Amino acid sequence: MFHGPRFDVYAEDDQGIIYDFEMQNEDQHDLAERISIYQGNLSRQALYAGQPFKKRKRTVVFFICDHDPYGLGWPSYALKVELVGCPNFSVDNKETNVIVNLKTDVSQLTQAQREMVAYFNDGTVSGAFSQKLAAAVAEVKADAIRGGIYMTIEEYAALKSAYAQESERIKTITGLAALDMSRAQIIEFLKTNMDLSEEEAQAAYDNAMAAHA
């Protein structure tokens, strides 16, 4: 089973450009790898069967980070493909990748950029741009169909953290199973080292083994 990304926000504009927006609340030092996987999934939808490759749609991935991934203080980082030995020669493969740094110094930003950073950091609405952004979010929340899947940034961060913990737990359990530890031994390990109750440890073991089957 290969890894398949789940898009946070997927959109396509009237020019056919496909966008993916992702929120990254924790620095896991793997943004380049993550972006390549998301681009790969977008690429499947960028060209219809039988079309010439020149017809490939442009795909754009934005990662909005609440940390500075490269420590340079820049408001955003753009990744591109270069020819080896010719750093000034850019190769356009119709993939655009941008990382937005929400912890940048806002003094050098435009008004709209400052509003965006403030809104994503703490929900502040301070001008025309952030008002439109807040209105769009309110529209999604009010929509009877989409409202059920809306979540705040705080809820999203908590969900991401829960997914990460569950993923690490599964890796631990399957790793112990690969060492020929019995179900009882692994459950005891989980109770001792992960502070789980008997019922929680049993459920974690069963879920992990079912996912790994």
Side-chain angles (χ1 to χ4, degrees):
M1 179 77 64
F2 293 104
H3 190 289
R6 295 177 62 185
F7 298 131
D8 290 346
V9 177
Y10 173 93
E12 184 171 347
D13 65 17
D14 55 7
Q15 297 180 358
I17 301 174
I18 304 172
Y19 299 88
D20 168 42
F21 294 85
E22 300 292 322
M23 289 293 297
Q24 188 70 23
N25 296 286
E26 182 179 348
D27 188 1
Q28 298 182 357
H29 308 287
D30 59 1
L31 273 181
E33 292 86 351
R34 284 174 179 264
I35 287 173
S36 70
I37 295 298
Y38 280 89
Q39 274 289 2
N41 210 51
L42 286 182
S43 295
R44 298 179 189 173
Q45 305 165 58
L47 190 70
Y48 291 110
Q51 283 188 311
F53 289 108
K54 290 289 288 184
K55 292 291 186 179
R56 183 200 192 280
K57 296 179 180 179
R58 182 168 296 279
T59 52
V60 182
V61 173
F62 282 93
F63 264 79
I64 303 173
C65 301
D66 69 350
H67 57 275
D68 186 343
Y70 299 117
L72 299 177
W74 296 1
S76 64
Y77 301 94
L79 310 183
K80 66 178 183 179
V81 179
E82 295 179 347
L83 285 182
V84 175
C86 302
N88 295 322
F89 193 102
S90 181
V91 178
D92 184 12
N93 59 358
K94 292 191 176 180
E95 293 183 3
T96 300
N97 302 300
V98 179
I99 300 168
V100 178
N101 172 23
L102 294 179
K103 300 306 180 186
T104 188
D105 178 3
V106 300
S107 62
Q108 303 300 316
L109 301 183
T110 66
Q111 176 65 26
Q113 289 171 333
R114 288 197 297 271
E115 290 182 36
M116 183 196 72
V117 169
Y119 184 81
F120 278 108
N121 275 323
D122 55 26
T124 298
V125 176
S126 56
F129 178 81
S130 53
Q131 286 175 357
K132 291 180 180 179
L133 185 57
V137 172
E139 182 181 349
V140 173
K141 291 175 68 176
D143 189 295
I145 297 176
R146 292 178 293 172
I149 60 172
Y150 173 83
M151 62 182 68
T152 65
I153 293 175
E154 291 80 7
E155 289 170 336
Y156 179 84
L159 185 60
K160 280 283 192 180
S161 177
Y163 277 140
Q165 292 176 8
E166 181 68 16
S167 176
E168 287 304 313
R169 186 178 296 171
I170 290 174
K171 288 180 182 178
T172 298
I173 293 171
T174 54
L176 294 175
L179 296 174
D180 292 328
M181 288 182 64
S182 68
R183 182 177 188 274
Q185 289 174 319
I186 294 175
I187 288 174
E188 190 61 34
F189 177 93
L190 296 175
K191 290 163 56 181
T192 302
N193 295 278
M194 295 188 174
D195 197 27
L196 300 180
S197 68
E198 178 74 24
E199 294 75 15
E200 290 172 334
Q202 290 178 1
Y205 176 89
D206 293 340
N207 291 339
M209 299 310 292
H212 191 64

